[in-house]
Amino acid sequence: MATGDGGGRAERIAKLGFDYAEQPKCAVAHCNLCGGSAFTVLTHLDRYGYEATAVGCQVCGLVFLDPVMTPEAYGRFYAETYRPLVSAHHGRVINARTIQEEQRAYAVERGDLLAPYLTGRGYRALLDIGGSTGVVAHALSQRFGLSATVVDPAPLETAEANELGIETIEGLIEAVNLGDRRFDVVLLCQTVDHLLDIGGTLRRVRELMASTGLLFVDIVDFRAAYLRNWAIEAAVKIDHPYYLTESTMVAYLRQAGFDVVRTDFAADHLHVSYVARPSHPASVPPAADEVRALWREIRFVQNTSRP
């Protein structure tokens, strides 16, 4: 594992004893967005110093880890390693208790954004995928009169949600059985990049959602991340199987059967939020010239000193 930060970060991460190289992984045969099979390797290292390979689909420009940890490995990772790893990276304790203040502020901001689309609509049921401690789901359910359900793979975080009186389902959304339930509002708050199957999950969300429902999803904009740090490696991390841009996220939503009704650039200049409604699926991949421009920009960042 590489060091190079000079501030003790690598040592803190090493002390966790998490061996990424030994985790079970599987190769990616086809792009999750367009089905393509021709990939370009972009980097061999992630921000934590792990030897993780990120590739880009030559057809649509989706970026993802290949190989990627298996669902079982990710389940253990989120239950045992994820928060300690992020804490070691930042040099401060980030856990199910300490993140709640930040989540409360986030809930207010997202509530203000969603208010025009939720107020007076008669919505009843909310599903928060990757809902963590339930703080966001609880705040929105209280503000808009909704019954909330949280799905999250981390038991320490679902325990906090239980304390708020929220229904919780522990596990990865890809493996959770929600039967024939339908939800008026579905949230993917700072979660979609963590999914193991974005396309499949969004299609499933579309099936779980009432025909007049509302979806909220926000991404870490991959371009914003590597341009901010002027390093592709700094934008890649093993907890994100996928790295989304505005183009690939909108393509995913259209493909799954959603129309974007609002886009919002977050105050941190890193996240981009989307409010979407159910529609008819449409396959509209990013344009080829847009994909070529992305590869040129990445190579420029890799081979040019930071401005």
Side-chain angles (χ1 to χ4, degrees):
M1 185 171 68
T3 57
D5 69 315
R9 176 179 291 163
E11 290 78 7
R12 293 193 299 268
I13 292 174
K15 286 180 180 178
L16 297 177
F18 178 72
D19 192 339
Y20 178 70
E22 292 300 316
Q23 300 304 307
K25 302 179 184 71
C26 52
V28 178
H30 299 284
C31 172
N32 188 257
L33 176 56
C34 73
S37 57
F39 309 148
T40 298
V41 176
L42 305 181
T43 182
H44 302 270
L45 204 66
D46 86 333
R47 74 169 186 174
Y48 304 118
Y50 294 118
E51 293 183 0
T53 302
V55 305
C57 174
Q58 293 179 12
V59 177
C60 70
L62 180 68
V63 176
F64 46 93
L65 297 181
D66 179 25
V68 63
M69 284 195 293
T70 64
E72 295 76 16
Y74 265 116
R76 292 190 298 272
F77 173 77
Y78 285 116
E80 302 168 2
T81 305
Y82 173 53
R83 292 297 182 192
L85 178 59
V86 175
S87 299
H89 176 78
H90 290 287
R92 58 187 174 90
V93 176
I94 301 173
N95 60 29
R97 293 291 177 87
T98 64
I99 60 174
Q100 293 187 36
E101 182 177 352
E102 179 181 331
Q103 289 176 341
R104 281 189 284 271
Y106 175 92
V108 172
E109 294 171 356
R110 298 306 92 188
D112 291 344
L113 173 67
L114 292 171
Y117 306 96
L118 298 182
T119 304
R121 302 279 179 170
Y123 291 153
R124 296 180 181 275
L126 177 151
L127 174 65
D128 191 351
I129 297 171
S132 182
T133 65
V135 166
V136 175
H138 183 258
L140 295 185
S141 66
Q142 294 290 303
R143 181 169 177 175
F144 300 109
L146 303 166
S147 173
T149 300
V150 164
V151 174
D152 196 275
L156 293 178
E157 302 194 20
T158 55
E160 295 292 321
N162 283 329
E163 291 295 318
L164 294 173
I166 293 176
E167 178 192 15
T168 62
I169 302 174
E170 187 181 310
L172 296 167
I173 186 61
E174 292 88 349
V176 166
N177 181 10
L178 292 167
D180 59 357
R181 297 175 64 175
R182 293 293 178 269
F183 299 88
D184 301 298
V185 182
V186 178
L187 308 177
L188 283 161
C189 298
Q190 298 185 6
T191 294
V192 68
D193 326 77
H194 294 266
L195 296 175
L196 305 184
D197 178 3
I198 295 179
T201 298
L202 289 176
R203 289 190 295 272
R204 188 178 182 204
V205 166
R206 180 67 177 81
E207 294 172 354
L208 290 169
M209 183 176 289
S211 60
T212 57
L214 193 77
L215 170 67
F216 171 83
V217 57
D218 55 355
I219 66 170
V220 175
D221 183 353
F222 180 56
R223 290 190 62 235
Y226 69 67
L227 289 172
R228 170 179 291 189
N229 297 284
W230 209 254
I232 307 305
E233 291 77 10
V236 172
K237 47 187 178 178
I238 59 171
D239 37 302
H240 281 192
Y242 293 97
Y243 303 88
L244 297 158
T245 63
E246 294 180 68
S247 296
T248 52
M249 187 68 249
V250 170
Y252 260 128
L253 289 168
R254 289 176 176 171
Q255 186 181 84
F258 292 98
D259 279 342
V260 176
V261 298
R262 180 167 178 174
T263 302
D264 180 79
F265 294 160
D268 64 5
H269 301 163
L270 184 62
H271 291 83
V272 183
S273 300
Y274 301 90
V275 182
R277 293 193 184 282
S279 182
H280 296 291
S283 181
V284 187
D289 59 348
E290 200 172 349
V291 176
R292 287 192 293 268
L294 177 65
W295 303 149
R296 287 195 299 270
E297 183 177 72
I298 287 174
R299 290 300 285 161
F300 181 77
V301 168
Q302 287 174 326
N303 292 287
T304 308
S305 298
R306 185 168 189 160

